[in-house]
């Protein structure tokens, strides 16, 4: 992803979307944000992804995360495709609960390093990969994931990741492999034993290791 690193201020781009023209930072307001890109409208994997994102949109809302999708087609195509997506969910009376950015000139896809050189349209132009950007309320990039067009994402994993990002933004902890909310977390290595004891009154348990080093420290957040 050339040019955009974790911690960078996310570009305040302007774009046409299914809810009209937006300035990205205004769209986000004080919320967290998730921007997920798609290779093309009216394609099968993308349709299953958007349908899933729509079904669990309340879960993003509950976490204070504004959702926005992007694909390299026009607003008109996005509106038509959205109806297919809702029909896939058997919810023909409802509208897609988040906007889609029309990046038909691929300007944002280029700016944000999202093109997948291995997947091209019928004219040989690269399609957008499946990028995920999570942006914090400070407008800085907190996470980016890049999947090729041929691999659909797991949106439950995105919720899990957001839970970790939001927790670790508040507390000096890190979440271990496969962590889920409610489970123990790790005390970050930069904290001394005294600092950890003061910060985590519920207690810190340290696992004994052959090295004798006391770095595997768990606490209940
Ligand atoms: C899809 O969404 O199904 C797809 C799009 C581009 C390349 C491969 C699959």
């Amino acid at each position: 992803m050339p040019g955009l690193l974790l911690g960078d201020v996310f570009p305040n781009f302007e774009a046409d979307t299914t809810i009209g023209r937006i300035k990205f930072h205004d769209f986000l307001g004080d919320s967290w944000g998730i921007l997920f890109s798609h290779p093309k409208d009216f394609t099968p994997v993308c349709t299953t992804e958007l349908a899933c994102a729509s079904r669990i949109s309340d879960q993003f809302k509950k976490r204070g995360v504004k959702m926005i999708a992007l694909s390299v087609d026009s607003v008109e195509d996005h509106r038509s495709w959205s109806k297919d997506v809702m029909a896939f969910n058997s919810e023909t009376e409802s509208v897609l609960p988040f906007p889609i950015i029309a990046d038909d000139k691929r300007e944002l896809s280029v700016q944000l390093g999202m093109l997948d050189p291995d997947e091209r349209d019928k004219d040989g132009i690269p399609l957008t990969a499946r990028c995920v950007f999570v942006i914090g309320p400070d407008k800085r990039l907190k996470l980016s994931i890049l999947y090729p067009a041929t691999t659909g994402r797991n949106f439950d994993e995105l919720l899990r990741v957001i839970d970790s990002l939001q927790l670790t933004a508040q507390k000096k902890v890190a979440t271990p492999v496969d962590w889920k909310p409610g489970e123990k977390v790790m005390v970050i290595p930069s904290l001394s034993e005294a600092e950890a004891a003061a910060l985590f009154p519920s207690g810190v348990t340290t696992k004994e290791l052959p090295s004798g080093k006391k770095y595997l420290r768990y606490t209940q957040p």
Side-chain angles (χ1 to χ4, degrees):
M1 192 181 55
L4 198 56
L5 301 174
L6 295 184
D8 285 353
V9 173
F10 205 83
N12 188 17
F13 61 82
E14 279 192 46
D16 291 319
T17 78
T18 46
I19 55 164
R21 192 149 182 90
I22 61 157
K23 265 195 114 173
F24 191 52
H25 289 189
D26 294 342
F27 167 77
L28 290 175
D30 296 329
S31 302
W32 286 73
I34 184 166
L35 189 161
F36 42 100
S37 64
H38 296 271
K40 194 93 187 110
D41 293 8
F42 307 107
T43 51
V45 176
C46 296
T47 302
T48 61
E49 285 191 323
L50 274 198
C52 174
S54 170
R55 285 195 304 274
I56 63 171
S57 60
D58 282 354
Q59 292 294 321
F60 287 91
K61 194 171 177 188
K62 198 172 107 186
R63 290 160 173 82
V65 182
K66 289 192 101 172
M67 307 168 79
I68 192 162
L70 176 150
S71 177
V72 292
D73 292 292
S74 64
V75 167
E76 199 187 345
D77 280 342
H78 288 350
R79 291 207 173 113
S80 169
W81 181 36
S82 299
K83 289 184 188 153
D84 287 0
V85 170
M86 297 316 280
F88 180 84
N89 275 349
S90 305
E91 290 183 288
T92 45
E93 301 304 313
S94 309
V95 293
L96 195 68
F98 49 82
I100 311 177
I101 297 168
D103 192 30
D104 37 352
K105 297 197 184 71
R106 290 172 168 72
E107 285 168 354
L108 266 178
S109 298
V110 170
Q111 184 187 354
L112 300 176
M114 298 196 292
L115 291 181
D116 179 350
D118 287 342
E119 293 295 337
R120 291 168 189 268
D121 68 11
K122 59 180 174 15
D123 302 317
I125 299 171
L127 298 173
T128 316
R130 300 182 195 282
C131 292
V132 181
F133 297 115
V134 178
I135 302 112
D138 57 1
K139 312 288 183 294
R140 293 183 183 275
L141 181 65
K142 304 299 179 190
L143 170 128
S144 67
I145 317 179
L146 183 54
Y147 287 60
T150 41
T151 301
R153 287 157 287 200
N154 181 326
F155 277 70
D156 285 334
E157 167 62 4
L158 299 182
L159 288 173
R160 192 191 73 87
V161 153
I162 286 166
D163 285 333
S164 170
L165 291 172
Q166 293 186 333
L167 175 68
T168 58
Q170 298 296 327
K171 299 194 173 174
K172 290 189 182 298
V173 296
T175 58
V177 62
D178 294 339
W179 171 87
K180 290 185 201 67
E183 294 177 357
K184 284 187 174 171
V185 297
M186 325 294 303
V187 176
I188 53 170
S190 58
L191 277 191
S192 69
E193 269 185 52
E195 287 168 326
L199 273 179
F200 305 111
S202 67
V204 175
T205 19
T206 307
K207 187 163 172 56
E208 296 296 327
L209 295 164
S211 68
K213 296 182 194 293
K214 298 182 181 305
Y215 59 91
L216 263 172
R217 299 180 295 176
Y218 290 89
T219 189
Q220 193 70 49

